Structures are given as structure tokens and as C-alpha cells.
Amino acid sequence: SMMKKLLTLVLITRPNQVLLGMKKRGFGQGRWNGFGGKVEKGETILEAAKRELFEESSLKSDDLKEIGLIDFEFVGDPQILEVHVFTTSKFEGEPTESSEMRPQWFNVKDIPFDTMWPDDHLWFPLFLSGTKFKGYFLFEGHDKILKQTLDKVDSL
Ligand code: 6U4
Ligand code: NA
Ligand code: NA
């Protein structure tokens, strides 16, 4: 709807590690995150996830699996961000810095939550254990969560 914006977020894994990118500009600048962005007219959410992954990291994957769905609301903004979270361990290419993201592998025990969106430490454990989830977070600004829900689900 007019008040929902569709976004993607892709988390690439290899044994005991996750690939994150330092966002160099735009929304979430200065934070480590997965790769993703806005779904454009005429593409599916999955197509958008693959496109943004390639644009931001140079990686290609035909194996993206949706594992999470998170709605973000910001006080004073009627638009909800509906973020579709995907993951895979099957990909081609070498992570390469783009104008938007500087990729780096992190050990799962060493994920830089202090330099990530404040919701991430809440749902990353579900993602890392292969548990599908749905969440809702109400933010005041970009640093403070006022309300939240997070549920494991069987399907998205
Ligand atoms: P463009 O048009 O590419 O300049 P930009 O403003 O940089 O857009 P974009 O498209 O990269 O934003 O999308 C924002 C990304 O941040 C998406 O992958 C979704 C993700 N994101 C937004 N809020 C988040 C949050 N609270 N936690 C999180 N990821 C979030 O982990
Ligand atoms: Na983006
Ligand atoms: Na984008």
C-alpha cells in the first residue's frame, strides 16, 4: 500500500561466519548490515534481493531463502518499511567493495552489534539458528526502540 515500502536484506553465510557490509551512504550509513534495498517497479521481492546483493557486494546467488519478515515504523512517519530477510550459503563471486557497502566476514561469535541497527541483536540469533521469524519494531529516531514484537514462525 501507499504506507508500506518493500525492502530486502540478504545475509550471506559460510561456516561460522556471516558477511556484513559497512553502509557508506544513505539509510543506515555507518552501520554494518546485510545487503539490500528497495524493491523496484516490475521486479519481484526475490529479484530485488538478488539485484541489490550483486550491486552492493558483487556476489550472485540463485539460492536465496526467505527467513524473516520485519516491519519497521518510525515515530512521526506514516510509512512502514517492510523488510524481507533472505539468507544463503551458496553464492558465486568474491565480496567486493561498492559505492554503498564495504564487505567483511565476521565470526558469528564476533558480530558487531554495537555498530548495527539496534534490532539486529534481537533477531540475529533466530537467523543464525535457522529459525524463521516475523518482527515489528517501532523506532524513535534511529537508535531507540519503543515497542517490539518478535515471533518464530513456520512459514512466512
Ligand atoms: P538507495 O536508493 O539505494 O540510496 P538507501 O537509502 O541507501 O537507498 P537502501 O535502499 O539501501 O537505502 O535500503 C536500506 C537497507 O537497510 C535495506 O537493506 C533494509 C535495511 N534496513 C532498514 N532498517 C533496518 C533495520 N532497522 N535493521 C536492519 N536493516 C534495516 O537490520
Ligand atoms: Na541499497
Ligand atoms: Na537501493
Side-chain angles (χ1 to χ4, degrees):
S1 80
M2 266 174 63
M3 293 303 170
K4 272 212 173 182
K5 184 152 93 177
L6 296 178
L7 296 151
T8 64
L9 186 65
V10 176
L11 294 161
I12 300 285
T13 66
R14 64 185 186 187
N16 293 310
Q17 293 195 316
V18 181
L19 185 70
L20 300 174
M22 169 49 68
K23 192 84 157 45
K24 294 161 65 177
R25 64 169 198 212
F27 197 70
Q29 181 175 354
R31 285 178 162 159
W32 294 101
N33 206 346
F35 305 94
K38 300 170 194 76
V39 179
E40 292 175 357
K41 276 206 186 74
E43 67 181 357
T44 65
I45 296 167
L46 177 61
E47 286 166 350
K50 291 162 72 169
R51 176 184 52 74
E52 290 276 353
L53 172 66
F54 182 67
E55 287 176 4
E56 296 186 351
S57 74
S58 295
L59 299 183
K60 288 193 171 177
S61 178
D62 282 317
D63 184 59
L64 297 183
K65 302 283 195 292
E66 190 162 5
I67 49 141
L69 185 57
I70 314 176
D71 279 353
F72 295 104
E73 183 176 2
F74 294 85
V75 172
D77 187 345
Q79 185 158 253
I80 307 282
L81 305 183
E82 181 181 299
V83 178
H84 292 252
V85 186
F86 296 84
T87 189
T88 188
S89 59
K90 295 181 190 159
F91 58 90
E92 291 175 16
E94 285 297 322
T96 303
E97 183 167 352
S98 63
S99 58
E100 235 179 293
M101 285 287 223
R102 176 166 48 84
Q104 187 176 309
W105 290 104
F106 288 90
N107 292 328
V108 294
K109 299 211 180 281
D110 213 14
I111 293 175
F113 290 117
D114 289 351
T115 323
M116 295 168 74
W117 281 99
D119 48 285
D120 289 11
H121 77 97
L122 299 169
W123 58 263
F124 256 60
L126 297 177
F127 144 59
L128 290 170
S129 67
T131 306
K132 293 191 176 79
F133 61 91
K134 282 188 184 175
Y136 163 78
F137 298 93
L138 173 64
F139 272 84
E140 183 178 72
H142 286 189
D143 297 325
K144 187 175 181 188
I145 296 169
L146 296 182
K147 282 187 198 168
Q148 64 177 81
T149 64
L150 184 62
D151 296 292
K152 302 177 185 183
V153 296
D154 290 327
S155 64
L156 287 160

